[in-house]
Amino acid sequence: RKEVEQDPGPFNVPEGATVAFNCTYSNSASQSFFWYRQDCRKEPKLLMSVYSSGNEDGRFTAQLNRASQYISLLIRDSKLSDSATYLCVVNWISNFGNEKLTFGTGTRLTIIP
Amino acid sequence: NAGVTQTPKFQVLKTGQSMTLQCAQDMNHNSMYWYRQDPGMGLRLIYYSASEGTTDKGEVPNGYNVSRLNKREFSLRLESAAPSQTSVYFCASSEAEGTGGNEQFFGPGTRLTV
């Protein structure tokens, strides 16, 4: 089982629609959770961190369910500029106590005019 | 601030050739990382450096070596390139490792074909 699993998509969504992505992680000791955005042939950039209480940043809402080891990202009123690949990222603690990030393979989103 | 810079942007190697990928950051970050990204695999950590003077293996270190030259620079060396090392390589930096919530800033990537 992969440490972080995402639906690869692609999601093709009309402009203005709401779209949701899900992500599951396998390491129950994971402590920090993030959504990164990666545009085609570009580097990943942090979109938002995900907090236990859930958090919102404009049109974006992130939720965390520790019991189910599940993270979600909701995008409302989608824009053409939201077209990108969204990476679910989870931190994990190695056997030596080192903390690292594990990246999901990403969910590709295309917003259709 | 330039953030994280990488050179070269593109490289084609023959099997068995060697090369060094360069990375530099101007954000005074302590930690630096090298990842590779392959289709369907996600980003995988090759090596990291928690602070100047230290380096450690990540998930896929075989076939690579690294040098943390100073706080700013972290290079990745392929001693004898293999076709399996064809990938996009990203360097990243963060303020500190081990604190959980630190954002990682990525360079623009190097597209390597062997």
Side-chain angles (χ1 to χ4, degrees):
Chain A
R1 183 184 171 188
K2 288 183 182 175
E3 291 183 41
V4 178
E5 294 209 54
Q6 295 182 250
D7 182 341
F11 284 55
N12 298 315
V13 173
E15 195 174 3
T18 295
V19 60
F21 305 139
N22 302 320
C23 167
T24 56
Y25 61 95
S26 61
N27 187 343
S28 59
S30 297
Q31 297 176 352
S32 304
F33 310 89
F34 311 90
W35 284 102
Y36 275 69
R37 171 194 168 126
Q38 186 172 22
D39 292 309
C40 187
R41 301 178 76 83
K42 298 284 190 182
E43 71 272 22
K45 292 184 180 178
L46 180 67
L47 177 67
M48 59 197 303
S49 300
V50 186
Y51 303 119
S52 295
S53 54
N55 48 300
E56 193 173 304
D57 183 1
R59 299 180 293 107
F60 299 83
T61 300
Q63 296 280 352
L64 168 64
N65 184 322
R66 284 187 186 272
S68 301
Q69 295 181 203
Y70 171 98
I71 305 159
S72 65
L73 176 68
L74 183 78
I75 306 175
R76 289 181 300 279
D77 187 24
S78 53
K79 313 287 184 195
L80 295 176
S81 57
D82 294 334
S83 296
T85 296
Y86 291 84
L87 307 176
C88 177
V89 184
V90 174
N91 92 322
W92 62 279
I93 311 295
S94 75
N95 291 338
F96 301 99
N98 303 113
E99 187 171 351
K100 299 293 170 290
L101 295 183
T102 298
F103 289 78
T105 54
T107 297
R108 191 164 144 210
L109 172 67
T110 301
I111 305 300
I112 304 164
Chain B
N1 284 354
V4 180
T5 56
Q6 289 182 237
T7 55
K9 284 191 166 51
F10 301 93
Q11 184 71 50
V12 178
L13 292 177
K14 293 187 190 299
T15 299
Q17 286 185 317
S18 62
M19 78 159 295
T20 300
L21 280 64
Q22 307 285 355
C23 173
Q25 52 91 9
D26 62 2
M27 295 173 282
N28 202 34
H29 284 168
N30 289 312
S31 298
M32 297 186 73
Y33 311 83
W34 276 105
Y35 293 92
R36 59 178 290 174
Q37 187 173 36
D38 303 291
M41 300 290 291
L43 280 149
R44 292 182 293 169
L45 183 65
I46 304 170
Y47 269 93
Y48 70 98
S49 171
S51 61
E52 187 179 355
T54 69
T55 62
D56 212 339
K57 295 178 181 178
E59 184 185 352
V60 289
N62 290 345
Y64 306 95
N65 284 301
V66 291
S67 295
R68 184 75 183 266
L69 303 168
N70 47 55
K71 192 170 185 180
R72 289 189 64 247
E73 298 172 288
F74 189 38
S75 62
L76 178 73
R77 183 160 178 85
L78 286 69
E79 290 292 350
S80 179
S84 60
Q85 294 179 305
T86 293
S87 188
V88 180
Y89 291 84
F90 287 102
C91 177
S93 70
S94 68
E95 195 169 312
E97 187 214 30
T99 55
N102 279 315
E103 177 181 358
Q104 289 193 11
F105 294 83
F106 286 81
T110 296
R111 295 182 179 277
L112 175 67
T113 301
V114 183

